[in-house]
Amino acid sequence: LETNNIPHPKEKLFLGNLLDLQSGRRVQDMMKLAREYGPIYQLNMPGRSLIIVSGYELVKELADEKRFDKKVWAPLQNVRSFAGDGLFTSWTQEHNWHKAHNILMPNFSMRAMQGYLPMMIDIAEQLVGKWDRLNSDDEIDVPGDMTRLTLDTIGLCGFDYRFNSFYREDMHPFVNSMVRALQEAMERGGRLPFEDKLLVHKNRQFQADTEFLNSVVDRIIKERREGGEDSSQKKDLLSYMLTGTDKQSGEHLDDLNIRYQIITFLIAGHETTSGLLSFALYELLHHPEVLAKAYEEVDRVLGSDLTAHPTFNQVNQLRYVTQILQETLRLWPTAPAFAVYPLNDEEIIGGKYKVTKDEDIAVLIPMLHRDRAIWGDNPDAFDPEHFSPEAEQSRPADAYKPFGNGQRACIGRQFAMQEATLVLGMLLQRYHFIDHTNYQFKIKETLTIKPDDFKIKVRKRTDAE
Ligand code: HEM
């Protein structure tokens, strides 16, 4: 493989740079290499070449949709075995991407968000219901409870299904299969092709998990189709998928594609948002001055009546809480990378680096978000003022990309931000947070990143004051 003039770490015989990225800490290793090799570097893996870009000036070029388009790169190709041609794992030129994009976009408008709020509140009430009933020395598994919350929320808003995760100790079997399948999809990227074939047990498990996911989702679709009148009244994503027509082609989505979309929404819609909420709580524990301002805002906007449900307007008025979440996504973008390819066979970026269609060109978001040219000399410091209206106005758009790029950007971004703002607001309204383990920050990597083994205790604010 040609490396031309792109900086790259030394390669090992046969393995190339395979060992530079360790399983379970690939993103963190990529960040370390970016600090060492700069805004663009290349890794050669057996059978593929990976170019990792994290400087703003270069990302600005990759974000130009006239020159580059989303690539379904190695990690996504493995996810494609169970997410098929759903929105997240399809190529832009696939007919089903356009069709589903056109049909589903209206379901993520501001108006649609207003419709999802009562369902989001329903699940958020279950979370605080659980935390309210804890004894004072009970500990909370933060990423665990946040995953229960976000999974149940997308289940309810997506297809009126209740995973009821707060009513069980273990995760729902569907979640276990999904997480295992995602994990396997990720690990395949770090193995040699012949190793993959040797892992008979893992392959069987992957197949069994995929079949289980399909069967659960196909049953939900079938039940809805057979449900008659009553089900056609439902205002969830599934009902739009079943009835919506693409104005461009006049077509509906077929059942196989609907299955893939549901699996996609479950994957895309829960780990990312739960990681966001978990990192945000971590940052709040370490920044008392930010926490104090957040309490002040929540008390002003939501007040102290814990029986009143937050309204759509109130959630939108939680400006500082939103800034906290945006800043959390700057340092810890929970979907940490996306890939593009040049629409022409090759392109020159940065005036001197040749990149081609065959390489995986990945934008490493956590390091883009630490580019000193944009964020100043202390880019690792957590500071929600980065998202004050003034700061936002003076910053170029492509410097901040936690939700990806252009037409292939996250369809669920408003959904995620509304959910996270609501929940963080409700938690701040109710609790003091206690770091009783003196938590040592550690990241767990799957398809997403989240704080590993992060536990806290809470005290009701009404008790303490
Ligand atoms: C795409 C991030 C929440 C559904 C993406 C992409 C990113 C992203 C970076 C682009 C991926 C790529 O280019 O390969 C996030 C983050 C979230 C979040 C950080 C939470 C904090 C959600 C939610 C949903 C969702 C809640 C669903 C309700 C999707 C879908 C796509 C996508 C369907 C593919 C869109 C397309 O290509 O047409 N997301 N996401 N995401 N996300 Fe999200």
Side-chain angles (χ1 to χ4, degrees):
L1 288 167
E2 190 182 69
T3 42
N4 67 57
N5 54 350
I6 299 177
H8 56 98
K10 235 173 118 139
E11 294 170 51
K12 292 228 161 53
L13 196 65
F14 301 124
L15 298 176
N17 297 112
L18 191 72
L19 303 180
D20 284 303
L21 304 184
Q22 297 166 58
S23 166
R25 43 168 308 122
R26 256 166 240 159
V27 172
Q28 294 160 85
D29 285 343
M30 283 185 204
M31 289 175 72
K32 210 168 86 199
L33 291 170
R35 292 185 198 269
E36 202 176 325
Y37 290 89
I40 180 167
Y41 64 92
Q42 179 156 15
L43 298 176
N44 286 322
M45 307 296 189
R48 73 185 180 110
S49 161
L50 177 59
I51 294 173
I52 293 155
V53 180
S54 56
Y56 161 69
E57 287 295 337
L58 293 168
V59 171
K60 186 171 70 172
E61 292 192 58
L62 300 182
D64 180 353
E65 293 180 281
K66 292 197 276 305
R67 295 170 68 198
F68 294 92
D69 182 24
K70 162 165 171 157
K71 182 166 188 180
V72 181
W73 59 323
L76 291 195
Q77 270 165 28
N78 291 322
V79 174
R80 206 178 147 108
S81 3
F82 49 95
D85 60 357
L87 279 171
F88 179 51
T89 41
S90 49
W91 297 88
T92 310
Q93 61 277 23
E94 283 181 272
H95 183 51
N96 273 344
W97 179 77
H98 283 275
K99 215 158 89 170
H101 178 78
N102 292 342
I103 290 175
L104 290 172
M105 277 301 270
N107 305 308
F108 288 94
S109 65
M110 281 303 268
R111 243 183 89 97
M113 291 309 123
Q114 208 158 353
Y116 297 131
L117 188 65
M119 295 182 258
M120 290 182 177
I121 291 175
D122 178 317
I123 307 294
E125 288 282 348
Q126 294 183 35
L127 173 75
V128 300
K130 175 176 176 183
W131 288 16
D132 275 349
R133 290 171 179 77
L134 294 173
N135 298 305
S136 60
D137 54 350
D138 285 341
E139 57 177 24
I140 293 167
D141 166 5
V142 176
D145 272 356
M146 293 307 157
T147 302
R148 289 184 171 86
L149 171 102
T150 51
L151 179 81
D152 282 26
T153 303
I154 189 67
L156 191 59
C157 298
F159 44 95
D160 195 33
Y161 185 81
R162 287 186 184 266
F163 285 102
N164 283 329
S165 306
F166 287 108
Y167 295 90
R168 50 178 108 223
E169 198 51 43
D170 301 324
M171 287 298 180
H172 191 286
F174 186 90
V175 183
N176 291 332
S177 280
M178 184 167 79
V179 169
R180 211 162 35 220
L182 277 171
Q183 192 70 39
E184 173 62 12
M186 287 301 97
E187 281 169 14
R188 285 184 176 188
R191 287 190 212 127
L192 295 166
F194 73 84
E195 271 186 295
D196 259 352
K197 297 218 171 65
L198 290 175
L199 295 168
V200 178
H201 172 73
K202 293 215 177 215
N203 289 336
R204 278 208 196 116
Q205 182 72 61
F206 188 62
Q207 206 181 340
D209 285 330
T210 304
E211 279 163 17
F212 180 66
L213 295 179
N214 292 345
S215 70
V216 172
V217 173
D218 288 351
R219 197 170 59 233
I220 291 172
I221 299 172
K222 187 157 169 280
E223 277 169 13
R224 182 67 67 88
R225 280 226 190 269
E226 287 167 356
E229 276 292 282
D230 192 38
S231 352
S232 62
Q233 300 301 312
K234 290 201 164 54
K235 289 256 174 299
D236 55 15
L237 284 172
L238 177 56
S239 72
Y240 297 116
M241 290 191 224
L242 289 167
T243 55
T245 15
D246 168 20
K247 289 206 179 71
Q248 236 171 340
S249 65
E251 294 170 8
H252 296 282
L253 297 180
D254 59 62
D255 278 7
L256 181 61
N257 188 255
I258 293 176
R259 170 216 279 174
Y260 289 141
Q261 302 299 357
I262 291 181
I263 293 178
T264 297
F265 281 108
L266 285 169
I267 296 171
H270 91 281
E271 274 216 326
T272 46
T273 313
S274 70
L276 165 59
L277 280 162
S278 305
F279 280 121
L281 280 176
Y282 164 78
E283 293 291 359
L284 285 176
L285 273 172
H286 287 81
H287 295 88
E289 67 300 342
V290 175
L291 182 62
K293 270 186 85 167
Y295 278 132
E296 187 277 320
E297 179 181 78
V298 166
D299 292 350
R300 180 166 39 81
V301 174
L302 299 183
S304 56
D305 179 1
L306 300 181
T307 58
H309 288 164
T311 64
F312 185 68
N313 279 338
Q314 284 174 320
V315 175
N316 286 313
Q317 280 165 32
L318 293 175
R319 281 302 316 156
Y320 191 65
V321 173
T322 304
Q323 281 179 231
I324 291 170
L325 293 165
Q326 287 169 318
E327 175 67 351
T328 303
L329 282 177
R330 180 179 73 83
L331 289 177
W332 313 113
T334 48
F338 62 89
V340 297
Y341 69 95
L343 292 166
N344 295 318
D345 288 342
E346 56 180 61
E347 281 278 348
I348 304 290
I349 59 172
K352 58 179 175 184
Y353 302 118
K354 188 175 85 181
V355 295
T356 70
K357 260 192 163 148
D358 302 327
E359 295 156 325
D360 283 350
I361 310 165
V363 173
L364 183 61
I365 312 171
M367 290 311 289
L368 167 67
H369 291 171
R370 286 168 170 79
D371 186 332
R372 284 164 197 269
I374 302 288
W375 307 95
D377 287 335
N378 196 6
D380 292 304
F382 179 83
D383 180 7
E385 291 313 316
H386 283 133
F387 294 89
S388 68
E390 307 79 59
E392 283 216 83
Q393 251 177 17
S394 61
R395 190 168 50 237
D398 293 330
Y400 184 64
K401 292 240 165 277
F403 292 104
N405 187 52
Q407 59 181 352
R408 297 306 302 268
C410 182
I411 201 172
R413 57 192 299 174
Q414 277 85 10
F415 186 98
M417 288 306 284
Q418 173 169 301
E419 181 184 3
T421 308
L422 167 76
V423 171
L424 195 52
M426 286 174 65
L427 294 179
L428 286 160
Q429 196 185 15
R430 288 167 174 75
Y431 307 109
H432 290 291
F433 310 106
I434 302 161
D435 178 19
H436 65 293
T437 66
N438 186 22
Y439 176 60
Q440 300 301 304
F441 188 63
K442 198 163 91 211
I443 290 178
K444 182 167 174 72
E445 296 190 15
T446 49
L447 184 62
T448 63
I449 54 172
K450 58 165 92 79
D452 194 16
D453 201 21
F454 176 36
K455 307 231 165 67
I456 61 168
K457 291 181 181 175
V458 295
R459 293 273 177 284
K460 282 188 208 157
R461 290 178 67 195
T462 46
D463 289 351
E465 275 153 21

